[in-house]
Amino acid sequence: MAEHKGKCIVVGGGPVGTLTAVFLGRRGFHVDLYEARSDIRSAENVSGRSINLALSVRGLSALKHGGIEERIRSIGIPMHSRYIHTDKGSYTIPYGKKGQYLLSTDRLELNRQLLSVAEKSENVNLYFEHKLVNCDTRIPSATFQKAGSEITKTGDVLIGCDGAYSAVRRQMLKGRMDFSQFYIEHGYKELCIPPTADGEYAMPPNHLHIWPRHEYMLIALPNLDKSFTCTLFMPFSKYEKIVTGNDVIDFFNVNFNDVVPLIGDSLLRTSFFELPPLPLVTVKCSPFHHGKTALLLGDAAHAVVPFYGQGLNAGLEDALIFDGLVDKFGCDFEQIVPKFSEVRVKAAHAIADLSLYNYMEMRSHVATPWFLLRKKVDGFLNFLFPSSFIPRYSMVTFTRIPYDQALKRAKVQDKIVDNGIIIAGGLMLTAIAFAAYKTDWKSFDLSNLTLDRVIEKAKHLW
Ligand code: FAD
């Protein structure tokens, strides 16, 4: 039998737990991965959360390290821009520079691929239908329920990757751990825009479609089978008022009338009631570890609202950072485990705040002229100073700058841009007033006034 560096118990066979198991197995640890559900590769009906999600640089970098980035890219659909649907028409806003995009990825397929990679590792054992019911993070030991009986396992380190409602975290809270959770008033519900009668996408596929309606928001991400998965975000109090099929159609006709023919009247009436709306929680805790024996990664450590599309990206980046620490400190968990909290807690809290910020931006700001102007100015400044001025969205989505540093830099940049726009606006008004004063005021024609003409006129007068 191969000599192992140590024994790791990983709880949760979601994407973060499975990638972590792959990394540890590759470094010569013996890994037992326990998942409460059955194996999604053989399960017929899998009820999960959202069907697809947007991957970006952080998540893709971690998958690259795990050797499956190319496979995931080949089954993902690039989304280059936001496609905004307003009452008055539609327009696109690019996500970043040319060649930068989000990847619409099938959540289950991603998980299946990761489980298959983990299974191939001779150091990783997968245990499905094993639900963690108790653990002692000091030993560490973990007790799982399997078909009515209980099994207790011990190891050198216990890694909780068991999601936003983590059972491992629940135990760790009995020690010295700060914790807060926060539900927004909106819940989400998933709907489907099927392919058209001739089997095509019902809308342009290489975009993330957004219907911002201030209090509500609908988004749609493309799937490989030419359908779109739509997610409706709406306050629970509003969901409660929609109780019949006619209520659904009336609501959509008033707020998203272009979507009714895309989903289809009868599908919309029925699918709306298939599942109740689900809550969106933000979880912050600190630290993420206990001694040298227990650690949280992914949603178990930091669940965030999905408006920046960063929840899984951040979780996969956790696995990558953790693997970097294992690379640096070998099998010395006394160093690795606390170090992880040290480098990751601030970043995790920052992405929680950024995600809540984007909740407003997506449902309201994207539809305003100010947002469009800001995007143009941000893009221009990034063109002039590519390494020192990177727009907030790009820092979060297309770089691996730690989230807390991205947040700090964005606050400074925001001040510069906002003040710059106000000063430029003031100067422009002054130039207009001066030009009007120097010419004959009454004959001054504002109707065909352009910025270039104002500048020309002002230059001439000076
Ligand atoms: P999970 O995916 O929750 O996996 C946890 C696993 O642990 C599960 O398999 C569960 O069965 C298992 N488990 C739980 N309890 C136990 C137990 N007691 N014993 C054993 N096993 C257990 N993120 C993005 O990056 N981009 C997006 O576009 C995006 N869109 C989203 C849209 C919505 C509507 C939502 C709700 C989230 C979205 N996210 C997105 C966030 C993303 O889904 C999560 O961040 C991600 O799934 C976290 O992965 P995880 O492995 O940490 O946890």
Side-chain angles (χ1 to χ4, degrees):
M1 208 170 117
E3 188 71 13
H4 287 120
K5 285 186 180 169
K7 189 172 173 191
C8 308
I9 301 172
V10 178
V11 184
V16 176
T18 314
L19 188 63
T20 305
V22 168
F23 289 159
L24 284 167
R26 220 164 53 178
R27 293 204 179 271
F29 291 90
H30 175 97
V31 187
D32 286 336
L33 174 70
Y34 294 93
E35 164 58 42
R37 294 188 220 175
S38 55
D39 187 346
I40 51 156
R41 293 168 300 170
S42 47
E44 276 178 15
N45 291 314
V46 189
S47 67
R49 275 180 298 185
S50 62
I51 289 159
N52 50 20
L53 40 75
L55 282 180
S56 47
V57 160
R58 294 170 201 264
L60 289 167
S61 305
L63 294 176
K64 186 174 183 177
H65 195 59
I68 65 157
E69 185 211 10
E70 282 313 314
R71 173 80 192 119
I72 298 304
R73 275 195 196 272
S74 74
I75 56 166
I77 301 171
M79 301 182 293
H80 298 279
S81 52
R82 309 161 181 87
Y83 197 112
I84 311 294
H85 301 255
T86 71
D87 292 341
K88 296 176 192 84
S90 54
Y91 53 92
T92 60
I93 309 172
Y95 273 117
K97 294 180 193 166
K98 209 168 170 223
Q100 290 181 322
Y101 57 83
L102 310 182
L103 195 71
S104 176
T105 310
D106 181 330
R107 179 190 283 275
L108 288 179
E109 191 50 35
L110 170 67
N111 224 357
R112 283 191 194 108
Q113 294 287 336
L114 282 166
L115 286 169
S116 298
V117 175
E119 199 172 47
K120 282 192 194 125
S121 165
E122 58 171 338
N123 292 337
V124 180
N125 296 314
L126 305 178
Y127 298 94
F128 296 99
E129 296 171 45
H130 278 70
K131 184 177 179 183
L132 182 111
V133 285
N134 203 354
C135 62
D136 186 330
T137 53
R138 290 162 307 176
I139 298 177
S141 70
T143 303
F144 298 93
Q145 208 166 54
K146 160 80 180 163
S149 57
E150 289 195 350
I151 311 153
T152 298
K153 299 280 176 177
T154 55
D156 295 303
V157 67
L158 172 68
I159 305 178
C161 304
D162 49 342
Y165 302 97
S166 167
V168 177
R169 189 184 64 224
R170 219 165 27 240
Q171 294 299 321
M172 286 168 78
L173 284 173
K174 293 176 183 162
R176 277 197 325 119
M177 177 185 267
D178 291 332
F179 172 77
S180 70
Q181 69 174 31
F182 168 71
Y183 285 96
I184 57 170
E185 58 165 338
H186 285 61
Y188 73 95
K189 192 179 262 290
E190 294 203 320
L191 301 162
C192 174
I193 295 181
T196 58
D198 49 359
E200 282 310 317
Y201 283 107
M203 301 181 293
N206 293 110
H207 310 273
L208 196 157
H209 291 263
I210 308 175
W211 289 260
R213 296 294 185 269
H214 303 287
E215 201 181 0
Y216 322 116
M217 178 172 74
L218 186 71
I219 64 168
L221 274 74
N223 297 311
L224 274 185
D225 66 359
K226 310 255 167 127
S227 67
F228 286 85
T229 302
C230 300
T231 312
L232 173 66
F233 297 95
M234 184 162 80
F236 279 95
S237 55
K238 299 283 175 188
Y239 280 116
E240 281 159 18
K241 296 201 172 101
I242 300 178
V243 288
T244 67
N246 284 345
D247 293 344
V248 178
I249 300 299
D250 290 346
F251 170 77
F252 270 78
N253 277 336
V254 170
N255 296 289
F256 310 105
N257 64 344
D258 52 333
V259 179
V260 179
L262 297 177
I263 297 182
D265 185 286
S266 105
L267 182 63
L268 186 52
R269 281 171 192 273
T270 51
S271 59
F272 193 88
F273 297 107
E274 265 165 23
L275 287 172
L278 297 169
L280 292 164
V281 69
T282 297
V283 170
K284 286 184 180 177
C285 64
S286 173
F288 292 158
H289 72 283
H290 178 204
K292 59 171 183 174
T293 44
L295 185 65
L296 301 173
L297 301 183
D299 273 20
H302 46 73
V304 301
V305 291
F307 304 105
Y308 235 115
Q310 282 298 308
L312 181 56
N313 282 288
L316 296 176
E317 193 180 46
D318 282 353
L320 184 58
I321 288 173
F322 179 65
D323 189 58
L325 294 173
V326 176
D327 185 32
K328 188 167 174 191
F329 297 110
C331 46
D332 185 358
F333 286 118
E334 200 160 353
Q335 299 257 23
I336 298 167
V337 170
K339 192 80 187 163
F340 183 81
S341 285
E342 196 184 310
V343 296
R344 210 50 185 157
V345 167
K346 269 194 206 150
H349 291 185
I351 191 55
D353 295 341
L354 281 160
S355 301
L356 285 166
Y357 166 87
N358 230 39
Y359 169 45
M360 277 306 293
E361 180 151 310
M362 274 182 93
R363 68 191 164 102
S364 285
H365 300 168
V366 287
T368 61
W370 176 255
F371 181 82
L372 296 174
L373 177 66
R374 279 295 312 259
K375 287 280 156 203
K376 290 238 178 311
V377 175
D378 282 356
F380 182 62
L381 290 173
N382 180 233
F383 171 74
L384 290 180
F385 314 105
S387 53
S388 50
F389 189 101
I390 309 174
R392 174 200 309 254
Y393 191 86
S394 298
M395 278 194 279
V396 171
T397 310
F398 301 120
T399 76
R400 291 209 44 226
I401 297 171
Y403 292 119
D404 49 317
Q405 287 178 29
L407 181 59
K408 245 189 225 160
R409 278 175 70 165
K411 280 182 180 163
V412 175
Q413 290 179 180
D414 281 354
K415 260 194 198 143
I416 295 170
V417 174
D418 289 347
N419 291 341
I421 291 176
I422 290 166
I423 292 168
L427 285 174
M428 200 171 125
L429 284 176
T430 312
I432 293 172
F434 189 64
Y437 170 72
K438 281 285 184 178
T439 38
D440 177 6
W441 178 248
K442 285 197 183 113
S443 66
F444 193 74
D445 183 9
L446 270 173
S447 62
N448 56 13
L449 192 69
T450 63
L451 179 60
D452 291 344
R453 290 194 59 215
V454 172
I455 294 168
E456 258 322 296
K457 190 111 191 153
K459 263 196 225 158
H460 178 72
L461 290 168
W462 264 302

